[in-house]
Amino acid sequence: MLLKQTRYQAPEDDKGAGGGAGAGAAAGEGAGAAGAGAKGAGEAGKGAAGDAGAAGKGAAAGAGDKGAGEGGKGAGEAGQATWPDDWRNRYAGEDVKKMERLNRYASPAAAFDALLSLQSKIGAGELRSNLPKNATAEQITAWRADNGIPETPDKYDLADVKVAAEDKPMITEFLTQLHKANAPAGVAKEAVAWYYAETAKRTEERMEKDKTIAQASDDALRAEWGNEYRGNINMVNGLLETVPADVRDLFKTGRMGDGTPIMSSPGVLKALVAWSRQINPVTTVVPNAGANIGNAIEDEIKSIEKTMRTDRKAYNEDDKLQARYRELLDARDRIGKK
C-alpha cells in the first residue's frame, strides 16, 4: 500500500510550525520507504514520523516564542521616550528667545511639566488676566470685579486695620494711588497694615535711641558741671518758662539735623545756661536755687544778719562773709527792680 503525499503551504506567521510539520512528514516518508512491505514496520514508521513531527512542532513553537519576546522587548524600548541631545535646537531653530526659555529646563519632560502646571493655575484662577489695551470703562469695571479690585478707592476693605484720624488724608491718597495701579483689596490691606506696623517699630526704636542719647548727655554734663549740674538745669527750665508756649514746645520736643532731641544736646544746654546767666545774672549768686532764687537770697541774707547781731566781731573779721552779704543785697535789689 502506497502512502499518499500531500504538500501544505503554511502562512507566513506559521512558518515555524509548518517547518515542524514538514520535518515530521519527511521522517514519516523515510520510515515508510524503509518498511513498505511490512505492516508492522509501516506502523513503526508512522510512529517515528509522528514523534518527529511532534518534535518539529515543539521546536517551531519555541522559535515563535523567542520571536515574540524579541518583538515585545523592542516595543518596550520604543515606549520609553528618548530625546535627542539637540532637542532644544530642533524646536527653537534660530529663535534666540525660544532658546533662552528652553535653557531653563533640563529636559523636555521638565518643560512639559511647567506647561501643565501653568495651565492648572490658569484653570484654578490663580493667575490674573491682563487688562485689554484701551479698555472701556465697562471693561475696566468688569476686569476689576473679576480680580478682586473694588470699583472705587474708598471701597477698599481694610478689615481690622485702624486708620488714625490724623492719617486719613495720607491713607486716602495712598489707596487712590493703589487703585490706579489696580492693586487687589488684599494687597491694599496688607500695605496699610505694614505701614502702621513699621511706624510703631520705628517709633519704639527711636524712643530707645533717645534714652541712650539723653543718658550720654546727662553723664557728660554731670562730669563737666559737677555740683552745679542741678542748678544749671534749673536755670535752663526757668529760662524756657519765660518764652511763649509754642516756642518752649519746640525746644522740648524738637530735634536737631542729625535726629538728636534738642534738649539732649550738651551744646544746646550749655548755650541755654550761658543765655540764662546773661539775661538774669542773679542766677549766678545762688546757682542751685532754681525758680526759688528770690527766697534763697533772702534766707541767706537773714542768716548773715543774724551773725552780725549775735557775733559782730566774727562778722567784722570775715572779709569773705562781708563780700557775700553785699553781693546778696545787690542781687535782691536787681530782682526787686524787675
Side-chain angles (χ1 to χ4, degrees):
M1 179 177 180
L2 296 176
L3 295 176
K4 186 176 181 179
Q5 298 181 9
T6 304
R7 292 184 61 83
Y8 173 72
Q9 182 68 33
E12 291 295 325
D13 293 342
D14 295 331
K15 284 185 178 180
E29 287 178 358
K39 181 177 181 181
E43 293 297 329
K46 287 181 179 180
D51 291 341
K57 289 180 180 180
D65 290 343
K66 181 178 180 182
E70 294 294 334
K73 181 179 179 182
E77 291 177 350
Q80 296 177 354
T82 301
W83 305 99
D85 293 338
D86 63 344
W87 62 272
R88 296 183 184 84
N89 295 25
R90 293 191 181 191
Y91 176 76
E94 300 298 326
D95 194 322
V96 177
K97 291 185 177 180
K98 283 185 178 180
M99 180 61 72
E100 289 177 350
R101 297 187 66 179
L102 289 177
N103 282 332
R104 301 175 187 174
Y105 305 103
S107 67
F112 295 151
D113 287 342
L115 173 62
L116 295 176
S117 176
L118 177 62
Q119 290 178 335
S120 297
K121 289 181 179 180
I122 294 175
E126 297 179 12
L127 299 180
R128 297 172 58 187
S129 60
N130 292 325
L131 182 66
K133 292 183 178 179
N134 302 319
T136 63
E138 292 76 10
Q139 287 177 318
I140 294 175
T141 300
W143 182 84
R144 283 175 171 170
D146 291 340
N147 290 277
I149 304 169
E151 186 175 355
T152 56
D154 60 313
K155 292 184 179 179
Y156 273 120
D157 183 9
L158 301 181
D160 57 344
V161 179
K162 303 299 181 183
V163 177
E166 62 271 20
D167 293 339
K168 283 186 177 180
M170 177 189 67
I171 296 300
T172 297
E173 179 60 24
F174 180 58
L175 293 177
T176 299
Q177 296 302 317
L178 287 178
H179 194 260
K180 288 181 180 179
N182 292 316
V187 173
K189 175 181 176 296
E190 290 301 320
V192 176
W194 174 87
Y195 167 76
Y196 279 106
E198 185 66 14
T199 299
K201 175 185 174 183
R202 289 177 179 269
T203 299
E204 184 176 353
E205 291 175 349
R206 186 177 65 185
M207 291 175 63
E208 290 299 321
K209 186 175 181 179
D210 287 351
K211 290 180 182 179
T212 302
I213 293 174
Q215 185 62 55
S217 173
D218 187 78
D219 293 343
L221 292 176
R222 284 181 182 277
E224 181 176 341
W225 287 339
N227 294 334
E228 294 185 358
Y229 171 81
R230 181 52 53 195
N232 288 343
I233 293 299
N234 288 338
M235 279 194 290
V236 169
N237 291 332
L239 176 63
L240 293 179
E241 289 299 322
T242 66
V243 301
D246 56 338
V247 176
R248 181 167 60 251
D249 289 341
L250 289 176
F251 274 99
K252 291 187 174 182
T253 63
R255 294 178 179 274
M256 302 180 66
D258 62 355
T260 300
I262 292 177
M263 298 304 291
S264 291
S265 168
V268 170
L269 292 174
K270 290 178 184 179
L272 290 175
V273 168
W275 185 18
S276 176
R277 292 179 185 276
Q278 292 175 6
I279 294 175
N280 187 9
V282 175
T283 57
T284 62
V285 178
V286 188
N288 297 321
N292 298 319
I293 188 170
N295 292 335
I297 290 175
E298 192 64 36
D299 289 342
E300 191 172 354
I301 288 175
K302 290 179 179 179
S303 176
I304 295 175
E305 289 179 344
K306 181 179 179 180
T307 301
M308 292 168 64
R309 291 192 303 269
T310 60
D311 192 351
R312 186 70 184 190
K313 182 180 179 181
Y315 173 78
N316 292 335
E317 294 177 353
D318 192 338
D319 294 337
K320 289 184 178 181
L321 186 59
Q322 294 175 34
R324 178 61 175 169
Y325 182 61
R326 291 192 295 270
E327 183 182 32
L328 290 170
L329 292 176
D330 182 62
R332 183 175 66 179
D333 290 343
R334 279 183 286 176
I335 291 177
K337 293 179 181 179
K338 288 186 176 183

